[in-house]
Amino acid sequence: MTVSAVRLNHMTHPATGTETRPPLLIAHGLFGSARNFNTLGRRLATDRRVVLVDMRNHGESPWSDETGYEAMASDLAGVIERECGGHAMVLGHSMGGKSVMALALTRGELVAGAIVADIAPVVYDHSHQSFLKAMQAVDLTKVSRRSDADPMLADAIPEAPLRAFILQNLDVSGGTARWRLNIAALDRGMDDLIGWPPALETGSYTGPVLFLHGGQSDYVTVEGEEKAQRLFPMADFHAIPGTGHWLHAEAPDVFREVVEGWLRTVEDA
């Protein structure tokens, strides 16, 4: 399958000291942006460069009708080649985690190691189309502040923290409200986003991989771990107790400690 890469918007935290370790590339999940991991990236940028990306159809990155993981992996490959010297550690959450797995399976020479946060290489039924429909229904002509849109989403998205997360994608600068998400493409491509490419079923990546998941999340099951172990035979698995799918936001200090500890252990081996 031929895919077209897009040039992702990114932000970089240079190493605050001497850069002695491989760069780290971080990819966010669905409805997210590079800024979701800004604090983590800054704290990890002591002896390494940390590059945070807006995935395609998110943030300030280009929009595309292609929503498959092979295409998103190609986007990440381009960032590693341009910004990371052609070799990097990679971390991805949810949709970003699947993109990272696809990258490792298709362009393994670019990946020094990978951390996959709360996702597995399987097909899910966690469709988020109701959220997209709710966003499409917001009357942007009546929005001058993000708080104006909050009640318009409340019926479809009753959880206030989730609404606040989604509303981070609403740009109200310049006097005209707009979504930074390509809602139409994400809606059409939801099967791709909750799926897993059959073309990647026969590959493997033999470098180090950490599957880090929330202890209370249902995104990584026994079936998912078995599949991950087959595709990534050097995989380690670790759960953060008391956290769900948004483990990096629910326990940011523990998440950082686990990530940093694993990276250093792998790099110093």
Side-chain angles (χ1 to χ4, degrees):
M1 177 182 179
T2 301
V3 297
S4 299
V6 303
R7 195 179 183 98
L8 298 181
N9 181 60
H10 70 280
M11 51 195 299
T12 300
H13 290 292
T16 55
T18 303
E19 188 172 348
T20 58
R21 295 184 181 274
L24 173 65
L25 173 68
I26 302 181
H28 64 79
L30 185 63
F31 305 141
S33 73
R35 294 189 179 277
N36 296 154
F37 287 92
N38 192 37
T39 299
L40 175 68
R42 187 174 62 249
R43 291 182 176 175
L44 291 176
T46 54
D47 48 8
R48 75 175 79 243
R49 185 182 347 155
V50 180
V51 181
L52 315 171
V53 297
D54 287 335
M55 301 294 280
R56 63 169 58 199
N57 295 318
H58 291 73
E60 300 304 325
S61 281
W63 288 8
S64 172
D65 287 334
E66 286 187 271
T67 53
Y69 286 108
E70 296 101 322
M72 285 190 275
S74 183
D75 298 343
L76 296 180
V79 176
I80 293 175
E81 290 170 335
R82 291 189 301 271
E83 306 296 332
C84 302
H87 200 56
M89 290 289 187
V90 290
L91 184 159
H93 171 250
S94 198
M95 178 191 77
K98 280 192 170 180
S99 302
V100 162
M101 287 188 283
L103 172 67
L105 291 168
T106 56
R107 296 291 307 278
E109 76 279 5
L110 301 178
V111 179
I115 299 174
V116 179
D118 212 65
I119 204 73
V122 297
V123 177
Y124 288 86
D125 58 7
H126 297 84
S127 177
H128 300 290
Q129 285 179 308
S130 61
F131 300 160
L132 293 165
K133 300 298 185 188
M135 284 183 266
Q136 285 177 316
V138 171
D139 185 350
L140 295 177
T141 65
K142 298 180 179 179
V143 173
S144 58
R145 299 172 298 179
R146 287 178 180 169
S147 58
D148 295 334
D150 186 74
M152 301 182 196
L153 295 173
D155 286 345
I157 310 173
E159 302 89 348
L162 181 56
R163 286 202 309 278
F165 171 68
I166 286 176
L167 283 169
Q168 291 178 19
N169 293 290
L170 189 58
D171 180 10
V172 292
S173 63
T176 302
R178 70 177 182 94
W179 291 106
R180 292 191 181 97
L181 298 168
N182 186 351
I183 294 174
L186 295 175
D187 188 27
R188 289 192 300 268
M190 188 55 65
D191 285 347
D192 289 334
L193 296 170
I194 65 174
W196 177 248
L200 301 182
E201 291 290 330
T202 58
S204 68
Y205 170 73
T206 57
V209 181
L210 173 64
F211 284 86
L212 181 57
H213 61 277
Q216 296 179 343
S217 173
D218 62 355
Y219 273 73
V220 180
T221 62
V222 172
E223 174 196 4
E225 287 193 359
E226 291 175 349
K227 181 77 161 296
Q229 192 76 67
R230 180 170 64 78
L231 294 175
F232 304 95
M234 298 299 291
D236 296 319
F237 298 87
H238 182 86
I240 297 180
T243 61
H245 185 57
W246 305 99
L247 65 172
H248 59 289
E250 296 169 34
D253 291 337
V254 176
F255 186 86
R256 177 182 56 80
E257 290 169 5
V258 173
V259 166
E260 190 167 32
W262 185 85
L263 287 172
R264 292 183 181 278
T265 298
V266 166
E267 291 162 356
D268 293 342

